[in-house]
Amino acid sequence: MARMSATDRRSALLEAAFRVIAAEGVSAATTRAIVAEAGMSLASFHYAFTSRDEMMRELIRHVIENQAVAAFSSLRYGVDLRTAIRDGLQAFFAVVVADPAHEQTMFELMQYSLRTPELAQLPREQYSGYRNAVSGLLETAAADTGMSWLLPLDDVARMVVAMTDGITLAWLADGDAAAGSRVIEFAATSIAALAQPIDTPSPVIALQHPHVTDTAENAP
Amino acid sequence: MARMSATDRRSALLEAAFRVIAAEGVSAATTRAIVAEAGMSLASFHYAFTSRDEMMRELIRHVIENQAVAAFSSLRYGVDLRTAIRDGLQAFFAVVVADPAHEQTMFELMQYSLRTPELAQLPREQYSGYRNAVSGLLETAAADTGMSWLLPLDDVARMVVAMTDGITLAWLADGDAAAGSRVIEFAATSIAALAQPIDTPSPVIALQHPHVTDTAENAP
DNA sequence: GTCTATAAGGAGATAGAC
DNA sequence: GTCTATCTCCTTATAGAC
């Protein structure tokens, strides 16, 4: 193999590892399978990384930082809030359906992190990142349509992330994309109902949320 | 080890396997780890099962058939629909929080199934089972409170299952149980809004669901 | 029927030639 | 720097004593 900088070799191996995992799962991502995918010799792997564990840590950190929530960004203007949310969710779902292995890999890497003590806090950062991205979009969407959220923005984002995860997982399980789209239609309505027109003088609290059960946090 | 019938030995090994997976993940569930957990010798494993693969198939079939959705069943009577749904969701979530390893194991076994060609159709049955169980509860809850669903019951169940999956996954990631409970409060309101009083003569379609995007099913 | 001992192969990691 | 060849460990599975 031609000479490559250590940095390039690391990148090439990380990309190869992701492809192997997407195609065959984490358990199939052996060092041998990864170097074969990257077209390198086995020794090159340990020249670039001190161990397979180190590579997995790097891979997970990388995918968490570079997660493409870009799908959401296709916000249309001049539509009502529900339509904006609906479009965003359907666009996200279309990306999932077009590349199911990618989302499945994200779930697998999350499981791997949760099972690896030194990586166990990464999913927390990952979900915090999801919520931040979604919060920004929700804020923009509400502002553009003259609405304001009746709940803390982060909680609305939590609900949106929960819906996308739930719909994605169900689709990975049963492959019924039409049903996923139907659920998105209802979900968009539900989420839009968590906002009210901004020019309403007296805040109308139409939602019931009498009390939140006291449940202690666990120690992840 | 004392004599055991082959059936008892299989059951004991399946339970031991589940415990090992719950504690350390699928990748740690080697035949050696499983027989150690069950207090047997390695040879006993292959006396009960022809291979580790066969044991995993049996384990997954078993957990899918015996999944405890019993948590939902704590339906209170004499309350409104939203409260009934809220109670059910909070009861489910309390079970998850009390035994996180169990839910994590269910997700891991689902991933394993999806990655194993001959088991790849099991998650479909699993989710169909979830929806059937939830549908029954939703039907009862609506009937008891004099309400009727504005959407196909199966679609409402889909939304409930998506919410529970999404909330569970987020909690496994970040351990914020209070946030999970808050989302449940909002979700219960949203889901209850998909029903209307049964004695309303003219059906009031309050929901917007203009059109469902045509998305073809994938081939799982 | 249940065990110990071992076969056969795949894994991560490294030595040492070039 | 990059390779081939190899070390060592751990895996599933089985042979054969009892």
Side-chain angles (χ1 to χ4, degrees), chain B residues 27-45:
Chain B
S27 65
T30 64
T31 53
R32 282 174 160 80
I34 294 166
V35 295
E37 172 72 24
M40 297 180 195
S41 72
L42 183 53
S44 299
F45 186 97

Side-chain angles (χ1 to χ4, degrees), chain A residues 38-71:
Chain A
M40 296 180 195
S41 72
L42 183 54
S44 299
F45 186 97
H46 285 93
Y47 181 76
F49 296 100
T50 64
S51 70
R52 180 181 179 276
D53 278 358
E54 189 209 328
M55 188 277 297
M56 287 296 290
R57 281 197 294 275
E58 185 93 358
L59 176 62
I60 290 171
R61 290 216 175 80
H62 185 261
V63 298
I64 286 180
E65 283 169 14
N66 298 24
Q67 48 202 348
V69 205

Side-chain angles (χ1 to χ4, degrees), chain A residues 1 3-4 41 43-44:
Chain A
M1 186 94 202
R3 289 198 181 180
M4 297 177 67
S41 72
S44 299

